[in-house]
Amino acid sequence: MHFFLNLMNSHLQPIPSRWFNGHVWRPIVTGVLAAQIIAMVLLWNSNQRVIEKAWLIEASGYLSVPTFRVASSLSQMGSIACGGLFFSLTLGVLLSLLTVLWKSIWKGFPRFRIGILALGGGFWFACLWGINANGFSVLPAIFFAAVPLSILILASFSPPKELNVSKTGFNLPFVAPLIILSGVLIFSYEHSVFVRFRDAVLLDSPLGEAINRFYYRYTLMAAEAIKPIHQKSVKTFRWNGEWPEEIKNEMKIILIKKDYLPVPDDPSPDIIVSVDPSGVTLKDYYGKSETISHEEFKSAPSRYLDAFSIQSDQFTFFRRALLISLLIGFPFLVYMLCYECLFCLSQIFLDKNYAAVTAGALCLAMGLGVFAAVNFHDTAPLKLDDLPALSRSSEVPIRIKTAQALAHSTSNEAGEVLREMMMDSQVNVSCMAIWALGSRRDRAYIETLRDFLLNQADWYRQWYAYQALRKLGWRQQPSR
């Protein structure tokens, strides 16, 4: 231990003296605030469209998800600000960290500034090119430009004492646990990791449950803003030109089966559909179009609608960057917050060097503890010998697993138990019960699910109910 501390004293600077006390937090907070503003503008535009779309769909006699009653609440600035955190605390943090790192390298290696400038400029140019590769995408491009520019502008007016990487090198107590935890995350990552983290960590405490509720309440609006057309629950289309009534009715049936609803008064439909002797032409709001022959379109409408959706998708790069930042940017932010808090607490009892080592060791221990909880969480199948007791368990993961297991249960009680669990106040239990009802393939549940959807005030539950209805073979029919 003494050798390690001597090494740290002679070659390394204690990380908090340079990375904290405003030197790194100030530009990160600036970048996150810039990201939050752009994200709120993005969500405001998207939410206004969701509200307009819900009203037009219901006015045309169809079922909207979310319903207009639920969509109306999306104009509240509090909801928009909460939804914006999904972007600012992930991609905003990652872009801020990259900018701070780039500035530190710029200052630390003055002889190589031309190359460093070219590297940074090339990276951001590549990002902007990726964002606009499928058509000019204004707000995502501004997002990627505004975060680094806000940090650089702040530095030009009040340059802080930045980290000089050519002199300080790595701060072992801070960096070593970070490298270990990053390796663990990378090598253990799989798609189910988020669900396992929810069940093993978040749902095991009141604070975690509050975070879980926040996530499921506000992130669906963020996802809706950047989804491709074919992944939205309901889509709208508008006819273009005069169609023979026979062809129009045939195409209408095909499109409604794929959840594309005819809304003639929609000023900005998801697609505009026209027909002529050469075939069916699909056109999006931004002017991209594709023509398919009549027979090809009728033989595989999903194939061509999905392909056109992907072709007109302007958020592909943005979504991929968000996923990367969710795995890197947000965890790094949490790590930095934990390290600083633990360092400050340790300084009450220890000197700076011992406090740095203690903070790093505690961060590593907590990170490995979370990893163990997630990866060794009990996933054994339940024995459905007492359905009422299991469905009312005080443990949320048990209720979720019960609903999941009942999806294919042959028990006579299963359907009734799932109807009760659908009303559970915990969103994950309720949604899993809805999914299970849809998976049972019993059309007797259609009315139950439709009534549930219409009387819900929660978009997430409505979305699950709609997917369950579609699995049961229900189709949109105009009510007037």
Side-chain angles (χ1 to χ4, degrees), residues 122-133 136 140-145 317:
F123 173 79
W124 260 272
F125 176 81
C127 289
L128 293 174
W129 181 86
I131 289 169
N132 298 292
F136 186 53
I142 293 175
F143 191 101
F144 266 77
F317 183 90

Side-chain angles (χ1 to χ4, degrees), residues 1-75:
M1 176 64 74
H2 288 294
F3 171 77
F4 176 72
L5 290 175
N6 290 334
L7 177 67
M8 185 169 60
N9 286 329
S10 59
H11 296 287
L12 305 172
Q13 296 296 323
I15 196 77
S17 65
R18 291 186 176 268
W19 281 80
F20 301 108
N21 301 324
H23 300 332
V24 166
W25 284 111
R26 182 168 56 180
I28 288 177
V29 169
T30 301
V32 168
L33 286 176
Q36 177 71 5
I37 292 169
I38 305 303
M40 289 179 67
V41 174
L42 174 65
L43 287 182
W44 170 264
N45 289 336
S46 173
N47 287 359
Q48 292 306 306
R49 171 58 188 155
V50 170
I51 295 169
E52 176 189 47
K53 188 175 176 180
W55 185 85
L56 289 169
I57 288 173
E58 292 185 4
S60 299
Y62 295 97
L63 178 62
S64 173
V65 177
T67 58
F68 179 69
R69 179 171 63 92
V70 173
S72 300
S73 65
L74 299 179
S75 60

Side-chain angles (χ1 to χ4, degrees), residues 202-278:
L202 293 183
L203 299 182
D204 199 36
S205 68
L207 175 61
E209 178 62 44
I211 295 171
N212 186 69
R213 284 196 303 271
F214 182 92
Y215 175 86
Y216 285 101
R217 181 175 180 181
Y218 294 111
T219 54
L220 197 55
M221 73 171 74
E224 184 74 13
I226 59 175
K227 277 182 181 179
I229 296 170
H230 71 284
Q231 290 184 2
K232 298 178 186 290
S233 294
V234 290
K235 288 78 69 174
T236 61
F237 76 91
R238 191 177 69 208
W239 307 112
N240 185 34
E242 294 298 325
W243 291 39
E245 200 63 29
E246 181 181 350
I247 297 177
K248 188 174 181 178
N249 288 334
E250 183 182 21
M251 291 299 302
K252 181 178 176 180
I253 292 170
I254 291 173
L255 290 167
I256 288 177
K257 282 183 178 179
K258 305 304 175 185
D259 291 313
Y260 287 81
L261 308 178
V263 182
D265 298 325
D266 193 348
S268 53
D270 293 305
I271 58 170
I272 299 170
V273 184
S274 59
V275 67
D276 55 42
S278 63

Side-chain angles (χ1 to χ4, degrees), residues 282-315:
L282 307 176
K283 186 178 181 181
D284 71 0
Y285 179 72
Y286 302 99
K288 286 190 175 182
S289 62
E290 183 177 358
T291 301
I292 309 107
S293 73
H294 293 227
E295 295 305 317
E296 286 181 326
F297 185 79
K298 286 190 289 185
S299 66
S302 293
R303 173 186 170 189
Y304 292 105
L305 288 168
D306 291 357
F308 180 70
S309 169
I310 294 169
Q311 174 188 323
S312 61
D313 181 17
Q314 296 189 330
F315 288 95

Side-chain angles (χ1 to χ4, degrees), residues 4 7-15 18-19 101 105 109 163-176 178-179:
F4 176 72
L7 177 67
M8 185 169 60
N9 286 329
S10 59
H11 296 287
L12 305 172
Q13 296 296 323
I15 196 77
R18 291 186 176 268
W19 281 80
L101 178 62
I105 295 172
F109 300 94
L163 174 69
N164 188 332
V165 295
S166 67
K167 295 179 181 178
T168 60
F170 290 110
N171 290 270
L172 204 56
F174 178 84
V175 174
L178 181 62
I179 293 173

